[in-house]
Amino acid sequence: MAEPTNIRIFDTTLRDGEQSPGASLNHSEKIEIARQLEQLGVDIIEAGFPITSQGDFEAVKAIGKDLAQTTVCGLARCVDRDIERAAEALRSAYKPRIHVFCATSKIHLDHKFKKPFEQIVEMSIKGVEKAKSYVDDVEFSPEDGSRTSIEDLVTITQAVIDAGATTINIPDTVGYAVPDEYGAIFRELRERIPAIDELGIVLSSHCHNDLGLAVANSLAAVQNGAKQIECTVNGIGERAGNAALEELVMAMTTRADIYENYKTSINTREIYKSSRMVSNLTGLSVQRNKAVIGQNAFAHESGIHQDGMLKHRDTYEIMDPRDIGVPESKLVLGKHSGRHALSDRIKEMGYTIEGETLQRVYDDFKQLADRKKDVYDEDIEALLDIRLGEGRKLWELRFLRVTAGTDETAMAFVELVDSAGVEQKDTAHGDGPIDAVFSAIQKITGVLVKLEEYVTRAVTGGKDAMGETSVRINHHGRKVRGRGVSTDVIEAAARAYLSAINRIKTMDEVKATGE
Ligand code: MN
């Protein structure tokens, strides 16, 4: 059998993913995710769109300099200043790629550009040549490619290959394509442009999930000759999102009988951790029934299924949770466990923390173990979430008391500690206990925000379960998320609200110190 074709995984979590409504990542969070993506084994990371903001520019620059194994890519329109900015951001990258794009569909040409197609081809050639003057690795995307006529796609693909592009990505920008149709584009391009195979040009898919077909379309592209898939962790992205990395990779792995001619360099055991990190840092939680990494993906409710599972795992389970790195949920520790045992367990779970942070997590753990008899991995992860999120901590919750009832106005007394260690306290009334707590926090921090979304759920089982609250707040039009975890739902809400406020403060600081 011939050697399987390597399918490059192009991760755009930090670019298309970050464009998700509600997602926002600060500089250090982007670097943390990029490092994890390298662990996961992605081939290319699209780290941002440098012309659009200082933050994107800095992220592409820092990630390019940081990662030695993974290609780091910056996005640019076919406009000189965009390409110059991308090149500047990538100047000290180990493996730089510039990705230029230009819309080519009739609907975009008529309504957005108001230019004839010939001029678009000219612009694209110039864009690719300009990018090529800075880097060897140039990718071109005809935006809205799936709604561009095949004649025009052939013309522009040939033109940009001649101009030096080495990867041609055909985006289904609006998530409109269906698998047969999308796959046929790739087949036809290869048939009509011999240079693709002769020169080893990489064709790439980029699919959106508006019709729930992003993964199916990407796989159809692969079976018709695409050698790169653009995707995001947890499938986050514009609107309904992008093709989900974990679904693509696990489909190809689980059905290796069908996809035997292809391989990726993804280390599937890093999937779970990557998914958790992206969800924690973007604040976009993963739906319970999400394929591969949703909380219910490996849970078996029905009695018949449970019976089958006990007799033989394969009866109802097509994937082994361990293959994607789901930590086996075992009872780990109780109130008598020492710091060493906790530290060992944390290491096994894939985290490296020490010193003061470890001490804080240990203190939290002791407190939790007093309230909750058995402490599971999930509980510890929740504690880690809180403490690791404090790299950007400004305000910390010290104390909270709430009075509420059916016949009285809720009142909250809140005590916070600021970054200088100064205690500040205040009380506030509200429509219910949570509203009162939020009002008190606003009074103390002086950050005025509008609460737009409030979701609370149990992370672990039982009546002493840890509750997780996530909030979305609006601060002068900027939407920011925060998460908090506690066995007490009101405390979880307070922590979530405070983490969002801390995030706003950090973003303001990053902005103020930007070049
Ligand atoms: Mn996109």
Side-chain angles (χ1 to χ4, degrees):
M1 201 186 82
E3 191 52 23
T5 304
N6 184 42
I7 304 299
R8 294 159 183 80
I9 298 295
F10 176 112
D11 181 282
T12 185
T13 304
L14 295 174
R15 203 278 300 166
D16 216 328
E18 218 236 351
Q19 284 173 227
S20 303
S24 50
L25 294 166
N26 68 29
H27 189 72
S28 55
E29 292 168 337
K30 287 181 184 173
I31 294 174
E32 199 181 337
I33 290 177
R35 288 182 180 154
Q36 176 58 28
L37 290 171
E38 186 164 85
Q39 290 298 311
L40 178 62
V42 309
D43 300 275
I44 303 108
I45 291 175
E46 187 163 57
F49 192 170
I51 193 79
T52 56
S53 71
Q54 188 66 28
D56 268 43
F57 176 83
E58 295 295 344
V60 173
K61 187 172 159 185
I63 293 167
K65 238 196 278 190
D66 195 62
L67 301 185
Q69 288 164 38
T70 316
T71 297
V72 175
C73 172
L75 185 65
R77 288 168 300 183
C78 287
V79 173
D80 281 356
R81 61 173 196 285
D82 276 39
I83 299 165
E84 285 156 12
R85 195 76 177 137
E88 168 68 18
L90 290 164
R91 206 168 46 181
S92 34
Y94 288 89
K95 293 184 179 176
R97 171 183 292 190
I98 296 179
H99 178 191
V100 290
F101 72 98
C102 194
T104 50
S105 67
K106 194 168 179 315
I107 190 163
H108 277 242
L109 262 47
D110 291 352
H111 301 286
K112 197 162 99 176
F113 281 134
K114 305 201 185 346
K115 280 183 185 154
F117 180 68
E118 293 65 36
Q119 245 173 291
I120 296 298
V121 176
E122 275 312 303
M123 271 174 71
S124 302
I125 292 172
K126 285 217 182 81
V128 168
E129 284 174 347
K130 172 106 180 157
K132 197 77 181 178
S133 73
Y134 296 106
V135 296
D136 284 336
D137 189 351
V138 175
E139 170 168 337
F140 175 80
S141 290
E143 190 191 359
D144 205 17
S146 60
R147 292 195 300 174
T148 302
S149 75
I150 190 73
E151 295 310 321
D152 286 353
L153 279 183
V154 169
T155 305
I156 200 153
T157 299
Q158 183 68 64
V160 295
I161 290 174
D162 293 342
T166 45
T167 300
I168 315 292
N169 176 50
I170 309 294
D172 182 26
T173 306
V174 293
Y176 182 72
V178 296
D180 282 351
E181 173 193 36
Y182 191 63
I185 297 173
F186 289 80
R187 192 168 61 237
E188 199 150 338
L189 286 177
R190 285 176 61 214
E191 278 167 12
R192 293 175 58 173
I193 307 173
I196 291 173
D197 288 334
E198 286 165 17
L199 303 176
I201 301 295
V202 172
L203 293 183
S204 162
S205 71
H206 177 111
C207 297
H208 279 270
N209 209 28
D210 298 70
L211 295 172
L213 293 170
V215 169
N217 285 339
S218 308
L219 292 173
V222 166
Q223 287 187 303
N224 285 283
K227 289 186 184 144
Q228 171 178 291
I229 306 176
E230 302 197 356
C231 51
T232 60
V233 172
N234 298 341
I236 65 171
E238 288 261 35
R239 307 181 311 278
N242 288 62
L245 183 150
E246 61 282 356
E247 294 179 21
L248 283 160
V249 171
M250 289 316 288
M252 289 170 74
T253 309
T254 307
R255 295 309 306 276
D257 54 331
I258 303 289
Y259 297 100
E260 62 180 351
N261 297 325
Y262 312 103
K263 65 175 169 59
T264 72
S265 49
I266 295 295
N267 175 5
T268 63
R269 286 178 175 269
E270 292 288 327
I271 285 178
Y272 181 77
K273 190 173 167 200
S274 308
S275 165
R276 288 301 301 255
M277 182 184 287
V278 167
S279 145
N280 289 341
L281 296 180
T282 58
L284 299 174
S285 42
V286 173
Q287 88 210 40
R288 293 180 84 99
N289 63 327
K290 168 85 169 61
V292 181
I293 36 92
Q295 217 187 325
N296 290 358
F298 296 106
H300 298 267
E301 268 307 314
S302 113
I304 298 174
H305 287 208
Q306 283 177 358
D307 181 57
M309 281 288 292
L310 291 174
K311 287 181 180 136
H312 188 68
R313 218 187 167 101
D314 293 349
T315 46
Y316 286 101
E317 202 163 87
I318 60 165
M319 288 174 268
D320 185 336
R322 284 169 298 190
D323 289 345
I324 63 159
V326 174
E328 267 190 276
S329 186
K330 46 184 170 184
L331 168 64
V332 269
L333 305 158
K335 64 197 282 186
H336 301 295
S337 309
R339 202 162 67 126
H340 193 73
L342 177 71
S343 152
D344 279 355
R345 190 66 203 135
I346 289 173
K347 266 193 211 117
E348 277 172 49
M349 288 163 67
Y351 293 84
T352 35
I353 60 162
E354 45 201 17
E356 206 184 315
T357 316
L358 177 61
Q359 185 58 47
R360 281 163 168 275
V361 173
Y362 181 64
D363 293 342
D364 293 345
F365 161 75
K366 287 302 248 189
Q367 274 190 29
L368 179 67
D370 278 339
R371 284 187 273 176
K372 191 173 189 298
K373 194 166 114 269
D374 301 329
V375 180
Y376 291 86
D377 284 355
E378 291 86 344
D379 295 315
I380 293 178
E381 258 191 52
L383 295 177
L384 286 166
D385 273 359
I386 299 171
R387 288 301 175 194
L388 295 179
E390 278 176 359
R392 49 180 176 271
K393 139 198 105 149
L394 291 155
W395 293 98
E396 200 182 340
L397 182 67
R398 171 65 58 88
F399 179 81
L400 171 69
R401 171 171 294 143
V402 178
T403 54
T406 49
D407 58 352
E408 59 178 323
T409 312
M411 203 184 73
F413 171 73
V414 174
E415 211 174 286
L416 303 180
V417 184
D418 69 14
S419 53
V422 180
E423 266 179 30
Q424 298 194 41
K425 41 192 139 184
D426 216 326
T427 55
H429 293 280
D431 289 335
I434 291 183
D435 186 48
V437 168
F438 288 178
S439 297
I441 292 176
Q442 285 208 33
K443 276 166 86 175
I444 298 172
T445 59
V447 183
L448 295 182
V449 297
K450 208 172 115 230
L451 180 69
E452 291 193 337
E453 194 182 291
Y454 169 85
V455 182
T456 186
R457 66 185 183 99
V459 230
T460 53
K463 71 177 189 319
D464 57 356
M466 296 277 266
E468 177 196 88
T469 296
S470 81
V471 296
R472 190 179 70 216
I473 61 181
N474 188 324
H475 180 63
H476 302 312
R478 190 162 55 180
K479 296 172 195 302
V480 178
R481 285 183 179 268
R483 276 175 80 240
V485 185
S486 171
T487 51
D488 177 320
V489 287
I490 294 177
E491 187 185 320
R495 290 191 182 283
Y497 198 69
L498 207 54
S499 83
I501 284 181
N502 280 338
R503 201 173 268 237
I504 288 173
K505 298 289 267 183
T506 334
M507 292 203 287
D508 286 344
E509 273 167 31
V510 169
K511 235 173 144 189
T513 56
E515 287 172 33

